[in-house]
Amino acid sequence: MARSRGSYYSALKRITRVANSGFGLKKTCNSIAKSAARAMQANGCRILSLSSQKEYLITVGTYGLSDLYLKKGPLDARKSLPDILDGKVVYIADAATDDRVQHPQTALSQGISSILGVPVLGKGQAIGEIRIYTREPRQFSEADKSFLLSVADTCAVIFERAELHQLLQKDYRADERRRKASPASPVPTSTLRPTTFAHSSEEDFARLLDFYCIDWLYEPRSFPLRWEGDKLAEMFTPDFYLPELDLYVELTTLRQNLLTEKNRKLRQLRELHPEVNVRLLNKSDFIKLLAKYGYGPLGEAKVEGVDRVLYSHAQIQRRVRTLARRISDDYAGQRLMLIGILKGVVCFMADLMQHLSLPVTLDFMAISYYGRDDEVVEITRDLDTSITGQHVLMVEDIVDTGMTLNYILGHLSAHNPASLSVCTLLDKRARRLVNVPLGYVGFEIPDEFVVGYGLDYKGEYRNLPFIGILHPELIKGESPQ
Ligand code: IMP
């Protein structure tokens, strides 16, 4: 079925008018999705925005798709048609059998046959996507593709404008507080977030999560609770999903009748979907939850001997993902051997390697120090495998004076690796005595003794999920390591 240039031209005119209408993001994108789907004589359209950490695709506009299909959960950007985010136009002839489709069963149950997806590009980078769905199997023409790419160009302008608007509206006092509390911590980049919350307490909760740099998605998924025949009769949509904690959160209000209803739904949800991690939260529960993961005043006070949190779990995770992306890009097409020094590196190594999109092998060394000031380094466990001719990346928890790393690098280079580089999570540059080349650095930190996330003081604190500064009283009089 050929669509005429004329109908695409008038659809584009309509879309440009809507884009400049001054409506909110969602209304604008819904209207564009409708115009695009109708012009292409398709059954549905979805406009998606990429989250700030480039991990999730968030629906910002739809047309013609059922609630169930839309609320099947946040789309994992790396799994759901990743080629689109690489800037390509993707065509799926049969969504039910194509293994690039993340939820083929849902597509099948909704009668979706073909999908055409194009990237929304901002400054040459994918910042979102548009997907067109048809019930009948469909071949898309060049004219279809170039029409959708023009719609995507309009969406790019809308996304960037919405982001700018949100940045301008940002609560500066919250930013100030965050900067004062931790000058070294990065201000999180803005995401296209829903502008309207159902309740003001949800907005407060979202701000609190932002303050502690915890990623969140608002109402990303609905869970079916009851069916009448083949019709869905009841669903439950938790208020928030916190991807880093894999946790759904439903906020409670003080009204008892609502609470009872929520408790009933939650019970049902847990029975029907035991794999779903969901919590009903009131304010005090929420503070306790933050504490459990090392955030907030309770989180800091809870750990005896730790003065303050330097980097929260969420901040570390973000940085680790960024480092992994850079390493994956730099070593693309190669096999990489990761070498860690036990034991401080265990948390960092475990997280880093999971985010590398390369074939990797892994080995560990152990060392001990002796001499009056621990100035002599000895290898107590050497590598199991040969590194000759391999691309080697030394993964370190912290580089302090640089003496240890200098010694280990000397030892490794004697075995003629193809390349040898270093990735350290923490760099205490102020105390450097030996100049060691660092290829990748997570955070440059002040001259303080830090513990947690694998780092210890006298064998303790390694299990803290955050990096904290040890109370100076504890190490007073000791010579620093
Ligand atoms: P170097 O001074 O660079 O040789 O650092 C040697 C080792 O000292 C590191 O691998 C850590 O195990 C340890 N270290 C240095 N600074 C700290 C710290 O702040 N917390 C915990 N361990 C540290």
Side-chain angles (χ1 to χ4, degrees):
M1 215 187 316
R3 274 139 293 274
S4 72
R5 276 170 194 276
S7 69
Y8 279 160
Y9 175 72
S10 25
L12 279 175
K13 249 173 68 180
R14 229 179 0 260
I15 285 169
T16 318
R17 215 176 309 124
V18 171
N20 289 316
S21 61
F23 293 148
L25 177 71
K26 225 163 187 155
K27 192 166 175 185
T28 306
C29 288
N30 281 339
S31 176
I32 292 177
K34 184 173 174 178
S35 295
R38 285 192 166 176
M40 293 182 76
Q41 294 171 20
N43 303 97
C45 176
R46 188 176 196 185
I47 301 177
L48 298 141
S49 142
L50 190 60
S51 66
S52 60
Q53 298 300 315
K54 302 189 189 314
E55 290 188 315
Y56 300 97
L57 285 161
I58 300 157
T59 303
V60 288
T62 60
Y63 172 73
L65 297 171
S66 82
D67 247 20
L68 190 61
Y69 189 66
L70 285 175
K71 296 197 167 180
K72 65 193 175 186
L75 293 182
D76 186 328
R78 282 157 306 184
K79 290 192 189 142
S80 178
L81 307 184
D83 280 353
I84 306 181
L85 293 179
D86 284 341
K88 295 185 188 119
V89 173
V90 168
Y91 163 60
I92 306 278
D94 183 0
T97 55
D98 196 309
D99 57 15
R100 290 174 293 173
V101 175
Q102 202 185 351
H103 299 276
Q105 284 313 316
T106 322
L108 184 68
S109 69
Q110 297 299 301
I112 287 168
S113 284
S114 303
I115 303 175
L116 177 68
V118 301
V120 173
L121 298 172
K123 301 185 193 92
Q125 295 283 320
I127 54 174
E129 303 180 359
I130 307 185
R131 295 181 187 188
I132 284 285
Y133 304 85
T134 64
R135 283 204 198 100
E136 300 299 319
R138 165 105 161 253
Q139 295 279 352
F140 292 96
S141 66
E142 282 309 310
D144 293 335
K145 288 176 200 166
S146 73
F147 165 71
L148 205 56
L149 283 166
S150 302
V151 179
D153 284 344
T154 307
C155 287
V157 176
I158 295 167
F159 283 12
E160 286 181 346
R161 200 174 52 202
E163 193 170 6
L164 185 66
H165 178 72
Q166 214 176 22
L167 277 174
L168 291 174
Q169 294 230 327
K170 229 176 153 66
D171 185 340
Y172 279 99
R173 275 178 306 158
D175 267 2
E176 276 304 303
R177 273 204 309 274
R178 181 170 42 228
R179 256 183 246 123
K180 276 183 194 147
S182 174
S185 65
V187 176
T189 50
S190 122
T191 329
L192 289 177
R193 299 262 160 120
T195 44
T196 43
F197 289 94
H199 196 275
S200 63
S201 65
E202 293 168 356
E203 189 163 359
D204 290 343
F205 185 71
R207 282 182 187 214
L208 214 50
L209 291 170
D210 277 345
F211 182 81
Y212 287 109
C213 303
I214 303 173
D215 261 351
W216 54 268
L217 297 170
Y218 181 62
E219 296 191 338
R221 183 172 176 189
S222 291
F223 297 92
L225 291 186
R226 194 162 50 82
W227 298 82
E228 279 166 9
D230 56 1
K231 205 167 146 262
L232 188 59
E234 192 177 30
M235 294 202 291
F236 181 54
T237 310
D239 297 320
F240 287 89
Y241 177 64
L242 315 184
E244 281 153 8
L245 311 181
D246 185 24
L247 179 70
Y248 286 91
V249 173
E250 176 67 13
L251 294 182
T252 56
T253 65
L254 297 174
R255 302 222 328 250
Q256 191 55 39
N257 57 338
L258 292 179
L259 193 60
T260 317
E261 177 63 5
K262 272 186 186 170
N263 272 322
R264 179 190 67 78
K265 286 189 167 188
L266 228 75
R267 256 198 319 277
Q268 231 169 330
L269 172 66
R270 289 193 178 116
E271 272 165 29
L272 292 169
H273 306 273
E275 75 289 355
V276 172
N277 189 12
V278 59
R279 284 274 302 258
L280 187 66
L281 276 197
N282 58 35
K283 199 170 174 193
S284 69
D285 280 345
F286 171 57
I287 291 170
K288 282 185 205 147
L289 181 80
L290 286 181
K292 186 173 164 198
Y293 290 98
Y295 305 106
L298 267 184
E300 293 163 37
K302 214 177 57 146
V303 183
E304 206 180 320
V306 176
D307 208 29
R308 67 184 170 92
V309 174
L310 186 61
Y311 292 108
S312 71
H313 183 68
Q315 285 173 307
I316 299 169
Q317 293 304 315
R318 279 177 206 200
R319 192 65 192 138
V320 171
R321 283 195 296 263
T322 307
L323 288 174
R325 260 196 301 273
R326 275 189 48 208
I327 296 167
S328 302
D329 285 349
D330 292 352
Y331 288 89
Q334 283 162 348
R335 172 177 289 273
L336 187 60
M337 184 170 183
L338 304 176
I339 296 183
I341 300 176
L342 294 170
K343 302 169 187 166
V345 80
V346 285
C347 295
F348 180 41
M349 179 71 97
D351 285 340
L352 183 76
M353 63 190 274
Q354 290 175 61
H355 294 290
L356 291 175
S357 52
L358 298 164
V360 297
T361 55
L362 182 65
D363 210 338
F364 288 99
M365 301 173 81
I367 51 171
S368 70
Y369 300 92
Y370 63 92
R372 221 171 48 137
D373 290 322
D374 282 351
E375 74 280 9
V376 189
V377 186
E378 183 191 28
I379 296 174
T380 54
R381 182 200 188 279
D382 210 339
L383 300 172
D384 292 331
T385 37
S386 162
I387 61 164
T388 308
Q390 308 256 19
H391 293 287
V392 173
L393 183 66
M394 269 298 303
V395 181
E396 269 279 40
D397 47 357
I398 184 165
V399 180
D400 184 6
T401 62
M403 308 279 271
T404 314
L405 188 59
N406 187 50
Y407 175 76
I408 299 288
L409 288 179
H411 173 78
L412 294 178
S413 15
H415 291 85
N416 300 318
S419 68
L420 180 58
S421 186
V422 180
C423 172
T424 182
L425 178 64
L426 305 176
D427 179 6
K428 222 192 265 184
R429 200 161 295 177
R431 281 178 39 87
R432 196 64 40 81
L433 295 178
V434 187
N435 198 14
V436 276
L438 302 180
Y440 308 89
V441 175
F443 305 102
E444 192 179 323
I445 63 163
D447 182 8
E448 309 261 18
F449 197 87
V450 290
V451 291
Y453 193 65
L455 289 154
D456 74 313
Y457 174 65
K458 296 190 172 169
E460 291 190 32
Y461 302 104
R462 290 196 199 275
N463 58 327
L464 299 180
F466 57 89
I467 293 171
I469 294 182
L470 196 70
H471 203 294
E473 284 297 314
L474 281 181
I475 42 174
K476 219 171 167 184
E478 287 184 28
S479 66
Q481 290 201 47

